[in-house]
Amino acid sequence: MSQSNGPTSSVTPTQANLFRHGRSLSNQSAGETYKSRDASYATAREGQDVGRSLANALAFGPRGASLAPSAQAPGSFSSDLKSMTVPRVGTPRVDLGTSTGGDYFGAEGAQSSEQRQKQLREQINKETKIKIGSENLLEALISKNAKQTRDQRQRVETELTTSNRKLQELNTKLEDEIEQSKRPGTPSRDRLSGLFQSSPMKSPSRDDRISQDQFSLVGQESESPTFILSEILQALEVEGMQPDYYVERANRLVELLKRYPTLKYDLAWPIFGLRVQTMLLSESREVIAAGYRVTRHAIADRASLKIIRDLNTDDLVILSLVKESKASIEREQALKFVRAFLDVKEGVEELSNGVVRTIVSVAEHHEDRLRNMSLLTISEILIRDPAVVVANGGIAPLAEALVDGSYHGVESLAMNFLHLLDKPQQRGYLESGYEIDQAFTPFTDPLAVHTHEEKLKSSARLLAAILKTWPGLLTVARRDFASIRSLIQSLQYPAPLARALILDLLFDVLYIQPPSWTSSFLAGRRLTTYGRVANLKADSTELHFKADTEEGSKFSLVEHFTALLLGVFVKCGLIAALSDLVETAEDPMLRRKGTLLLGEVLKLADHCLPATVSATLQVLPNLLAESSGLTVGDGSMASAVIYQVDSVNRTLQRSGLASKAQPTLTAIARQPNLANSGSNEPPKTKLSVDMDELQFRTLMLETQVLTTANYLKWKWDLINDLIEGPLRNPKRVEEAIKGGKFLKRLIGFYRPFKFKFSEIRNTKPNQRYVRSGCALMKTLLQSSEGIAYLTDSKLVRQLAECLAQLDRHSGLTSTSPLFSPYNVSEKLIGGYFALLGALSSDSKGLQMIERWHMINMFYHIIDLDERDDLIKVLLSNMDFSLDSHFRVMLSKALTSCPKGIRIYTTRLLRKYATTGSQKNGDGCEWAIRLLVTQLYDPEVQVSELAIQILEEVCNQTSQLEYVVKCRPALDHLGAIGAPLLLRFLSTSLGYQYLDGLDYITQEMDDWFLGRNDSYVALVEASLSRALSAVADRPKSSHDDQIQNQEYGTVPPHFYRELTRTVEGCQLLKESGHFDAFATSIRDTWSEHEDPETILKLKGSLWAVGNVGAMELGAPFLEESDVVDSIVRTATLSEVMTIRGTAFFVLGLISRSLHGMEILAEHGWNAATDHLGRSLGYCLPPDLGVLLSMQYERPIRPPERLAPSSRDNSALIDDDPLRARIMKLAGDLGNTVLTKKAASDLFAIKTKSPEQFTSVALFRKVMATLEKHNFRLPVRRFVIDLFDKSVMRKIVLEEDSGDESPIGDRPR
């Protein structure tokens, strides 16, 4: 084929002149000029003379169909690393070589399900921010003059309505997408590639697509895949066609291999390989890319990789990777082809040194588009075969990418280095062992601390990821914590941005959750303005915190690790550095942030660290000495800092929001519904209940209720204070009823047919009307006068009339019912159910509801098919504490409603099952019975949710025994019900119940023989997930099916639950399992090579720790004296993760009083609460002993180094000119000699061009490139010297040299 366009110029003038003597290997043409449309069709018809029928031709879709697979293809990488799109064009006449398009061959023409879900979540995040901003603006406008802000309020409300509608649509789409992704599907054949069209002029019509689909179905059913494969291979044999002809056939071939995955095991490689070679030797970049894609999908196992390498693909891949960026499609597919090797078992062993070194050169080239992908590929090879990466110089670009800030996945790169540092036999692969310490440089170097903001933020994320892992902490703790000390001392540098990022880093790694008023405090507002937060649930926080310290509560590994981190930072001078910062910082916001962090650190130290450590910190020795005048300094500034810290702590204490290392999930307050918000006790209010009549009347006048009927002019804050204060006095209620229109207008405001409350838009600021209404209902129910007034009012009667419009049996209908879907979602109509819920919390209120037959209406609403929104609002606002018809209605919703409603209703039971009812004597037993019923729901999601709630219920012994009395059958749930059965072992009653089922002995054998080892993977995955910085994404209803994943806590362990009872301890002693675990620890604590033995050791450690955490199990520790071996493991083991496991196990042991005493004998101190109970955070007296490691790097075994893929003797040549060329090629690697060597090579090329058509010389030059490290432009320049025919001779073995084919080499 002739070329219409000449070769494009290279980067250097020397390379450009080479085209006078021959065509370059890497600068291939983008293809011939496209012919006219008629000529294209005529040529295509010639290619169809191979005997393929029409049905077979259409079996893979129309011409130009997408080349993308329907699922993730072998070797594909994350789309986050590239962000390029190519617009669809109406004609294929486009310079494809210069395109920066995305993945045309390795991804779907339409995006995959995961990408669509990601986009939907991003849109939901955006709309959520718009909604929050609109609500905040609307709340600010409401506080201003109503007339002046009317137009602006209407615009904001319109925007808020639009955001709500968009959010609803996006959430529906996301749920549908998630549901669709769970169903198996077939790849769509109607998705056309954005690059290749079946016609350059127009798209096929709808009728044509239908007919094509019909023919394709006929072809799929009538032809065997082997026959179709042979026809496609015959079509690829035709020469002289347009590039899109070969791309289309290759696309069909890939679709065939994807549709029939077993077909690749039966390929006739002599024929198939020849077709692939022909495509890879094409002059069109698109055809070459299609050839790589076909070959990638034909990979089946390591044997197929050997066959593919025999096709001389190594040199072809190198040739493609060194091309310029305009060959993006070809280069990307070549890299994907290499990545496919990693998806095959032991496939990394088939990667040659030349290919790996070329990828390394791409990663070293900062301007290359494939740099990030190359870094990702090298990092994955590093995990599988570190020797080949080290031998080819791959460590340097990875270490550079850690600190340069251009690679967005620095956390994953750091994890790869830490993986090598974990075991002693792997540490030798790192030359210095200080690659991780480079992450501190942007902060600790005085010259680099003023660097770019993005680089500092990237380094902060990297440091957070490092410090949250055991290998990372042990690595940076070398040389007496020098790296951490330098980071803390960097707070003294006058660089505000770096200081602020270090403070944010400390907030992150110490898991300090700043209070909600942090942003306002940092802006300079006084702490006294946050008095309203004191009304939050501080009492519930104390209750849950107290429950956390009880035996058997969840033990947070993250909190234990955070205690160790805090101890390290305190040892390195964090308190003194923060004190100096708040004294010397000129930026007031930075000073306030330091003050807040200092207060939080002191509070965290008091909670997590042993008293011997934390007691010396609370007095702030440096500041106290300066403020008292004992030292030279500004005493006023020190006193101001102490006062500020004390003020912050007092505010935190009042608000009940004092942050801990990481709040346990049991401490998370449940979101109550509007009707049941708050406790039964009167809430705190500014107004006294015993207010006199004159003051009361004055305040009623100030509310403007008696002055005007316009509710927008009413002072709702004062109204709410009156309702929750003086109106709780029956005398004041009587005065409000008889002495004016105060209550009449308030009740009238809520009446549906007044169209005031019912016409208000459903926004966050407007929820205050609902809260005031609920408070009014509860207040009136507390006095006989209020009950009588409420009974006689028209409010409840009109609500009953509106509900009757939804009841098909009532006979009342309306063309525009009040509770229409639009009104419920867009207006405050749903608030009426909150008012009814407030009535349902009192027996007198129930009588009012029953008087107007609302119960029957509620039953009929539950039966409505298309009103899930109304059913959810109804169930979420009703109070089921009283034994009434509402519980029957709840039971009906749990059993007869659709799946979504059953899940939603089951979740509502959590509050009643875990807290119980204070109004009846039945407590939470009724809710437990309903949850046990849900265990037999036909949907697994419902049963799984019920299991999780019952697990939480079983935290209290009395409730656990009642669950056992219900005798739930969990055999049908399998592994889902296993955690609940383990909880039954906590009591003698549960033990007897399970023993009668023969469950205990079988489960004990399973755990001893294998489940104990599986537990190691479970707990390590949970800890890794808790420590990883993963941003929370918006949740759909499907995500809510399983709530509160307790990441970072110790999962339930059989032996821990077994030792909660005397019977279980006796069984454990008789079995001898504990002695076997203790013996395993004593014998294998120093193991660092065999992975299976290391896994057994970790399993034994967790088993012993879980037994020792129980008071009844602690005597096992003393009898076996295994704690001494665990302490030795935690301080002397050469495997970092084994040290971490032993450290966490010691924390478990310290949970019991007996275990804490044993650890005290070994010098380890445990943190305790004010009652002397252990919190499970134990530390050694000297952290240096725990975190010191020996870093003597062993000599790397020679057999682990990747062998050279070419014979070194090939580098010697008897011909002086060729020897000269070889020497000059080697000099190109020397930056001093590069320019002269390039000029000399160009001169030789000019005088003797025939030398660069030699296959033997090409192989020797390639051996030189493989043996040494060359930059990417140099590799491109050297390969461009040779004529294009050389590669064809090598691949097709047309040369007659005395060298063996390249494909015969072992590596």
Side-chain angles (χ1 to χ4, degrees), residues 406-553:
S406 60
Y407 185 72
H408 296 291
V410 289
E411 295 91 342
S412 62
L413 293 183
M415 294 304 106
N416 293 335
F417 282 103
L418 295 178
H419 173 75
L420 293 182
L421 291 170
D422 183 29
K423 297 179 182 179
Q425 64 269 23
Q426 296 177 342
R427 294 174 198 145
Y429 291 117
L430 299 180
E431 293 298 330
S432 65
Y434 291 95
E435 288 79 4
I436 292 296
D437 291 7
Q438 299 180 35
F440 292 88
T441 304
F443 292 104
T444 58
D445 187 357
L447 301 179
V449 76
H450 299 281
T451 186
H452 195 269
E453 179 179 356
E454 290 300 323
K455 184 175 182 180
L456 285 175
K457 290 182 178 180
S458 176
S459 298
R461 294 197 308 270
L462 176 60
L463 287 177
I466 293 173
L467 291 173
K468 290 179 181 179
T469 62
W470 261 102
L473 180 59
L474 289 170
T475 301
V476 300
R478 290 178 292 182
R479 296 177 289 119
D480 194 22
F481 308 98
S483 298
I484 298 179
R485 292 181 188 274
S486 61
L487 177 66
I488 294 177
Q489 292 171 1
S490 301
L491 288 172
Q492 301 175 2
Y493 294 152
L497 177 60
R499 283 177 160 185
L501 288 176
I502 293 176
L503 294 181
D504 292 336
L505 171 66
L506 294 173
F507 272 107
D508 184 16
V509 298
L510 295 178
Y511 289 88
I512 296 175
Q513 305 292 336
S516 58
W517 42 263
T518 298
S519 57
S520 299
F521 168 68
L522 296 180
R525 293 177 60 189
R526 296 181 60 187
L527 289 176
T528 54
T529 60
Y530 309 108
R532 286 176 291 180
V533 300
N535 293 330
L536 296 179
K537 301 177 181 61
D539 54 344
S540 63
T541 305
E542 290 184 7
L543 174 64
H544 289 298
F545 173 76
K546 191 178 297 184
D548 290 341
T549 62
E550 294 177 0
E551 180 189 46
S553 61

Side-chain angles (χ1 to χ4, degrees), residues 52-62 189 212-223 228 231-232 252 255-256 259-260:
R52 184 175 62 249
S53 63
L54 178 61
N56 294 334
L58 297 176
F60 297 92
R189 297 176 295 103
Q212 289 170 356
D213 289 342
Q214 293 173 350
F215 277 116
S216 65
L217 291 174
V218 174
Q220 292 179 28
E221 295 177 358
S222 60
E223 302 291 351
I228 299 175
E231 288 194 338
I232 296 176
R252 297 181 182 179
E255 293 296 333
L256 180 67
R259 188 177 296 116
Y260 302 100

